[in-house]
Amino acid sequence: MPKSKASRGILLTSNLPQLQNLIKRDPEGYKEEFLTQYNHYLSLLRLQQVSSVTSTSTSATTDKSNELFGDLITFISQCAQCYPTETKELPLQLKGLLLGSGSGSSSVESGQSVKGDLRKTVFKNLVMLRNKEIIDSIELLQTLLPLLPQAPSALRGVIRSTILTDIKTSNQKTKNHRLNRVVQSLLFGMVESGMGAEVIGDKGKGKGKEKGGEAMWAVMMVKELWKKSVWNDAKTVSIVALAAFHPNVKVQSAALHFFLGSDNEDADETDSDEENIREARRGVKKMEHRMEVGKSGRKKDRMLAQMKRETNKKRAKHAAGLGATPNFPALELLHDPQTFGEKLYDNLHKHDKIYSLDHKILIMQLLSRVMGTHKLCVLGFYSYIIKYLTYHQLQVTLILVSLAQSVHELTPPDVLTPVIRKLAQEFVHPGVGAEVIAAGLNAIREVCRRQPWCMEEDLLSDLIEYRKSKDKGVVTASRGLLQLFREVNPGMLKKRERGKAATMGLIGSQVLAYGHSKDAAEGIEGLELLDEHFAKLRKEANGGLTDEDNSDVDMDDEKGWEDWDRESDSESESEGWEDVSSGDEDIDISDSDEEDDKKRVKQEKKAAKKKSKRAKKGGKDEEDSDDESDEDEDMDDAKSVVSTATTAVSQDTKKLSLLAQQKILTPADFALLNELRLKAAKELAESGGGSGAKRKAAALELSKRHVDQDESERFLTESEILGPRKKVKATWEEKMELVKKGREGREKFGSLKGKKTKSTPSSSTNREKQRNKPLMMAVHSNKVMQKKKASLRDKQIKLRAAIDKQKKLKH
């Protein structure tokens, strides 16, 4: 007998997964059953909102109703794609359940947000609606971002990974600018919401009482997206720049670490990754030992192979994470660096008493890097930092690094002169240790390298005298200061201290005064090396034949344009060259300067010939012959010198113009030019070019190394301020760390002797140990000494026993 429609509805009501399956197969046939469940869902939704306001229901009833309500939410979300009109209010209802009042639909009053497992169920169903494209990414992220600070720790990690994955997926093929603008506006609002609070600081009673968790999560999200190279624009940097002035010190610290590139969280993650890799290696070794000693089978072989694969994946992932670098340095993308630097200094000076020393040093480091990168002048920073320039100050090396990084060629020297005097008085005197003197001299050298005019002659002569010290670090620092002024301003040194090169004028003249800029560049240095290299390539291509007529024009175009965009950061989106018609008009390019030079030379030669003829005719007069001949000879010599010089200049101009004007120099050509200059400088230094050639080669080598230098290596470090030091004795912790590193990759304890040569693993026998024992140990062993000290009666007993034993063996 077939079941009635009513009985079918009763059966399907108790089995929601079965009804869900039937609805997906035939939505129109089961629409009535869906509407019944949907009305049940709406009634439970109203009860949930009322109960959240009144909170009068018992815990058992609440748990049972929450479980049923969660099942209905999952059912409605799964079937929402089949009935889009009936479920159009579902995303807003789920948003209201997650965020609480003010976020629900217009038809349903919103109460407090749900808690516990029900909140997790609502979150999963909302993400499922996004995966089914019922809602877009903007609607999902507008719900999840405000939810992130409110969620418990168990759910917070899932929400964070969901947000990052969705943004990364949306920007995978092309940049989703609309989504990025909306999310960045939300994050900007999260940071800006707590800007009006009072600054409590991280020192004293106010420590740990700050508010502003939303801003912290916003900064963390921006840092993750920046690290994954999803966001790398100026608006991303502006969000973190605003967070650098947040009243919450933790938010400030996170923003400062973002700009400095020395995130403690990244270091902790790196340490934890290394520890996980070591644990995985230990597990592999332990499994191999078990299989070697005990029974082995296919199951254990599969487990060992799986463990090795996981270990290799972790190692590869860790190596890839270490090599990742951001696309754009954040300091370069600051919108208004001068205002940003002034705000940093105001924040540092205003809250000096409530910030801890570590936090103040972070602000100093960021301010100094901004000043050095953008050539800013925040003059109050130097008067503020003077009070920290004492040798007994905690973390004084970081303060010295910040001081040196903030100086550049546009910093006024009169502001830095008191700072240099303070450094010399506090760090460089006989009353302190050698390490302190070396650090002070190195700091003074780095400041003077950026602004040489801040040094005084009397003070410089006193500092240079420390090159006669007995400590290696002090001598190196003092010699470095001396060598710096030999290069940049030898006029401030005494004649005996300038050195041979500076005295003979090989290095250069006086350094440019403050405010004066260098002359404009004339030509391209080393261009003749590139021309010779191309000529050599043409000669090899032509089989050794030279072709001077087309030497400057007909170069190997195909070879010259290979890898033309090397060392170029910009990526061309075009797939090839486009043919553009130039029209019927012919383009005539003439070198007017070269033609003028040629005409001038010809006219001067003609004038010289005419005057020489006149001088020959006038030689018939005997009275004035001597005077006129002398004048004519002087004029001929002068004209010949001028003609030769003009010809040489004309040739050089022709050479420069033909190569630089008739060939487009690509980034690959400039890279090749740098390599040729470095090669020529090294050859000159090896062939006896002197100290000047060696310094030039070293400078070119250093500039080549700085081409691929990342942001963290462009600035000073503590080691550069401390200088070379003697190797100190290792502590117990350092020794144990070395011991643990030495034990990696080998068997745990014991020797491998005897185990490698045997089929079954075992140690050596006692007989093998006695055979390999040193002779002096065997001679002085207890057994041999007892034989020597034995009495005659004992020897007779042992001899008789040995004779009896031999007789028994024969039988």
Side-chain angles (χ1 to χ4, degrees):
M1 181 178 178
K3 295 183 179 179
S4 63
K5 190 175 181 179
S7 62
R8 188 188 70 167
I10 295 172
L11 176 63
L12 294 177
T13 303
S14 60
N15 194 351
L16 291 178
Q18 182 184 4
L19 178 59
Q20 171 186 325
N21 186 21
L22 294 172
I23 288 175
K24 289 183 178 179
R25 292 182 180 182
D26 186 10
E28 293 297 330
Y30 290 90
K31 185 175 183 180
E32 184 177 350
E33 285 80 358
F34 172 77
L35 292 176
T36 303
Q37 299 298 331
Y38 187 69
N39 292 328
H40 190 195
Y41 155 74
L42 291 178
S43 62
L44 289 179
L45 176 63
R46 294 188 183 93
L47 289 175
Q48 178 68 32
Q49 292 166 351
V50 171
S51 63
S52 63
V53 175
T54 57
S55 300
T56 57
S57 58
T58 61
S59 60
T61 308
T62 303
D63 295 339
K64 188 175 181 179
S65 61
N66 286 347
E67 184 179 357
L68 178 59
F69 188 41
D71 294 340
L72 280 173
I73 290 174
T74 304
F75 170 76
I76 300 298
S77 301
Q78 289 283 353
C79 302
Q81 59 184 352
C82 300
Y83 307 102
T85 307
E86 289 78 4
T87 60
K88 62 181 180 180
E89 297 290 337
L90 180 62
L92 290 176
Q93 293 167 356
L94 297 182
K95 182 178 179 181
L97 290 173
L98 288 174
L99 299 180
S101 59
S103 302
S105 63
S106 58
S107 60
V108 181
E109 295 181 359
S110 300
Q112 298 179 359
S113 61
V114 293
K115 307 293 183 183
D117 295 337
L118 184 57
R119 173 159 47 185
K120 190 174 183 180
T121 303
V122 175
F123 162 72
K124 288 182 177 180
N125 286 283
L126 190 63
V127 175
M128 184 179 61
L129 294 179
R130 167 67 187 98
N131 296 334
K132 291 184 177 183
E133 297 184 354
I134 298 175
I135 60 175
D136 56 357
S137 297
I138 295 177
E139 194 171 353
L140 175 66
L141 296 178
Q142 285 177 343
T143 305
L144 296 186
L145 282 173
L147 179 64
L148 189 60
Q150 306 173 8
S153 58
L155 187 59
R156 193 176 294 155
V158 184
I159 297 175
R160 178 182 176 185
S161 62
T162 303
I163 295 172
L164 293 175
T165 304
D166 192 72
I167 297 176
K168 185 178 180 181
T169 306
S170 301
N171 291 272
Q172 193 168 9
K173 294 182 180 180
T174 57
K175 292 288 184 183
N176 192 342
H177 296 289
R178 180 168 174 267
L179 174 65
N180 293 340
R181 283 196 301 268
V182 172
V183 177
Q184 287 171 351
S185 300
L186 290 173
L187 295 176
F188 195 85
M190 292 171 67
V191 175
E192 200 174 19
S193 61
M195 293 297 293
E198 182 183 358
V199 180
I200 300 177
D202 58 343
K203 187 171 67 173
K205 297 181 180 179
K207 186 176 181 180
K209 296 182 180 180
E210 307 94 343
K211 297 180 180 180
E214 294 183 357
M216 174 60 76
W217 283 107
V219 174
M220 291 176 65
M221 298 298 296
V222 170
K223 288 166 65 177
E224 288 289 337
L225 294 169
W226 179 275
K227 189 194 302 183
K228 297 179 184 295
S229 300
V230 179
W231 287 355
N232 46 26
D233 55 348
K235 193 169 183 180
T236 307
V237 178
S238 64
I239 296 173
V240 190
L242 179 64
F245 310 107
H246 198 273
N248 192 337
V249 179
K250 293 183 179 179
V251 178
Q252 279 190 32
S253 179
L256 296 175
H257 280 298
F258 171 80
F259 285 109
L260 295 174
S262 58
D263 199 344
N264 293 332
E265 296 177 2
D266 294 343
D268 296 339
E269 290 178 2
T270 303
D271 296 339
S272 62
D273 292 341
E274 293 177 354
E275 184 64 28
N276 293 334
I277 292 173
R278 284 195 290 268
E279 288 292 338
R281 287 177 180 173
R282 294 192 196 104
V284 172
K285 292 291 184 182
K286 189 180 293 185
M287 178 60 70
E288 289 178 347
H289 180 69
R290 287 178 181 175
M291 294 177 63
E292 191 177 6
V293 175
K295 294 181 179 180
S296 60
R298 294 183 180 178
K299 184 178 179 181
K300 289 188 176 180
D301 291 340
R302 288 196 300 268
M303 291 174 62
L304 180 61
Q306 180 67 20
M307 292 175 68
K308 288 183 177 180
R309 283 196 298 269
E310 291 178 356
T311 304
N312 293 333
K313 285 182 181 179
K314 289 180 180 179
R315 191 186 298 113
K317 185 178 179 181
H318 178 63
L322 289 178
T325 53
N327 290 336
F328 300 99
L331 295 178
E332 301 287 345
L333 296 176
L334 286 172
H335 174 61
D336 188 359
Q338 181 67 38
T339 306
F340 182 76
E342 291 176 355
K343 285 184 178 180
L344 277 177
Y345 171 68
D346 292 340
N347 184 26
L348 179 64
H349 186 265
K350 183 178 180 181
H351 306 102
D352 181 57
K353 294 183 179 180
I354 61 176
Y355 286 161
S356 62
L357 179 63
D358 295 336
H359 191 70
K360 286 188 284 189
I361 288 177
L362 282 178
I363 299 177
M364 290 182 192
Q365 287 180 315
L366 179 57
L367 178 57
S368 64
R369 291 193 180 186
V370 173
M371 292 171 65
T373 303
H374 295 278
K375 305 293 188 293
L376 306 181
C377 290
V378 184
L379 303 182
F381 173 69
Y382 300 106
S383 59
Y384 172 82
I385 205 172
I386 280 182
K387 64 180 180 180
Y388 293 101
L389 298 181
T390 56
Y391 69 91
H392 53 76
Q393 173 67 46
L394 295 176
Q395 302 185 15
V396 69
T397 52
L398 291 176
I399 298 175
L400 294 176
V401 168
S402 302
L403 170 64
Q405 286 179 161
S406 64
V407 181
H408 48 85
E409 62 270 14
L410 300 180
T411 306
D414 54 350
V415 179
L416 296 175
T417 302
V419 179
I420 296 295
R421 287 202 209 100
K422 178 72 172 180
L423 286 173
Q425 293 171 2
E426 291 289 337
F427 290 86
V428 189
H429 61 85
V432 295
E435 294 181 357
V436 178
I437 298 176
L441 290 173
N442 289 328
I444 293 173
R445 184 194 69 228
E446 294 298 334
V447 173
C448 294
R449 185 187 303 278
R450 293 159 173 79
Q451 181 52 270
W453 288 107
C454 64
M455 175 60 71
E456 299 173 337
E457 292 189 15
D458 298 338
L459 180 59
L460 178 60
S461 62
D462 294 340
L463 297 177
I464 289 173
E465 292 298 325
Y466 278 89
R467 68 184 187 277
K468 302 176 184 178
S469 175
K470 295 181 180 180
D471 185 79
K472 182 178 179 181
V474 177
V475 172
T476 304
S478 182
R479 287 179 179 176
L481 184 62
L482 175 61
Q483 185 61 34
L484 172 66
F485 276 90
R486 282 178 177 176
E487 295 176 0
V488 300
N489 195 357
M492 295 185 67
L493 299 171
K494 297 179 182 178
K495 189 174 182 180
R496 63 183 180 183
E497 296 170 347
R498 292 176 186 174
K500 180 180 177 181
T503 304
M504 297 177 65
L506 297 180
I507 294 179
S509 58
Q510 191 85 350
V511 68
L512 293 174
Y514 172 70
H516 290 251
S517 60
K518 296 181 180 180
D519 296 334
E522 298 179 356
I524 302 174
E525 186 178 358
L527 191 62
E528 64 278 1
L529 298 174
L530 191 62
D531 190 15
E532 294 175 1
H533 177 73
F534 286 147
K536 185 178 179 181
L537 291 179
R538 286 193 305 273
K539 187 176 180 180
E540 293 177 356
N542 295 332
L545 300 177
T546 60
D547 187 10
E548 296 181 356
D549 295 334
N550 297 327
S551 62
D552 295 324
V553 181
D554 298 333
M555 298 182 181
D556 293 337
D557 293 336
E558 295 181 359
K559 294 183 179 180
W561 284 97
E562 290 179 358
D563 195 19
W564 69 275
D565 57 347
R566 182 170 58 165
E567 294 187 3
S568 178
D569 294 333
S570 61
E571 297 181 357
S572 176
E573 296 180 358
S574 62
E575 297 180 356
W577 292 98
E578 294 182 3
D579 296 332
V580 180
S581 61
S582 59
D584 298 333
E585 298 179 358
D586 295 332
I587 300 175
D588 185 14
I589 301 176
S590 62
D591 298 332
S592 58
D593 295 338
E594 297 175 11
E595 293 177 358
D596 294 341
D597 292 335
K598 291 179 181 179
K599 292 179 180 179
R600 195 182 305 112
V601 172
K602 289 180 180 179
Q603 291 174 1
E604 289 173 355
K605 286 183 178 180
K606 290 180 180 179
K609 288 180 180 180
K610 289 180 180 179
K611 288 188 177 181
S612 63
K613 290 180 180 179
R614 291 174 184 174
K616 289 179 181 179
K617 292 179 179 179
K620 297 178 182 180
D621 299 334
E622 297 179 356
E623 297 179 356
D624 300 332
S625 60
D626 296 335
D627 297 337
E628 291 180 0
S629 62
D630 293 339
E631 292 178 0
D632 291 338
E633 289 178 0
D634 294 340
M635 289 295 294
D636 291 339
D637 294 339
K639 293 297 182 181
S640 62
V641 170
V642 172
S643 176
T644 305
T646 309
T647 305
V649 172
S650 176
Q651 292 176 355
D652 293 340
T653 308
K654 179 180 179 181
K655 187 175 183 181
L656 173 61
S657 62
L658 289 176
L659 184 61
Q661 295 181 10
Q662 296 182 0
K663 176 175 172 41
I664 300 175
L665 297 180
T666 62
D669 293 332
F670 283 107
L672 178 60
L673 177 61
N674 293 332
E675 293 176 0
L676 293 175
R677 288 179 59 195
L678 179 60
K679 183 179 179 181
K682 287 182 177 179
E683 291 177 355
L684 181 61
E686 292 175 357
S687 61
S691 58
K694 293 180 180 179
R695 281 194 297 271
K696 184 177 180 181
L700 290 174
E701 183 71 27
L702 185 63
S703 63
K704 181 183 178 182
R705 257 197 322 261
H706 287 347
V707 170
D708 298 328
Q709 196 176 40
D710 61 355
E711 183 184 4
S712 61
E713 295 178 352
R714 291 191 306 176
F715 304 102
L716 288 176
T717 58
E718 288 185 88
S719 59
E720 296 181 37
I721 295 296
L722 293 174
R725 295 187 298 171
K726 294 181 180 179
K727 188 176 180 180
V728 297
K729 189 176 181 181
T731 60
W732 184 84
E733 291 80 6
E734 294 174 348
K735 291 180 180 178
M736 293 305 298
E737 186 69 23
L738 291 175
V739 170
K740 290 179 180 178
K741 287 183 179 179
R743 288 178 179 174
E744 292 182 359
R746 71 174 190 181
E747 294 290 338
K748 187 177 180 181
F749 307 114
S751 174
L752 295 178
K753 189 175 181 180
K755 297 182 181 180
K756 296 180 180 179
T757 57
K758 296 182 179 181
S759 58
T760 57
S762 65
S763 180
S764 57
T765 62
N766 290 336
R767 186 179 294 273
E768 291 175 352
K769 293 175 181 177
Q770 289 179 359
R771 190 184 303 122
N772 296 326
K773 185 177 292 188
L775 178 62
M776 297 306 296
M777 291 182 65
V779 169
H780 294 88
S781 64
N782 189 24
K783 188 175 182 181
V784 176
M785 296 300 294
Q786 290 295 333
K787 285 182 180 180
K788 290 181 179 180
K789 295 179 181 180
S791 62
L792 182 60
R793 179 61 181 166
D794 293 336
K795 291 180 180 180
Q796 289 177 350
I797 294 173
K798 289 183 179 181
L799 182 59
R800 178 58 60 187
I803 293 172
D804 293 342
K805 186 176 181 180
Q806 291 295 328
K807 288 180 180 180
K808 291 179 181 178
L809 290 175
K810 289 180 181 180
H811 296 291

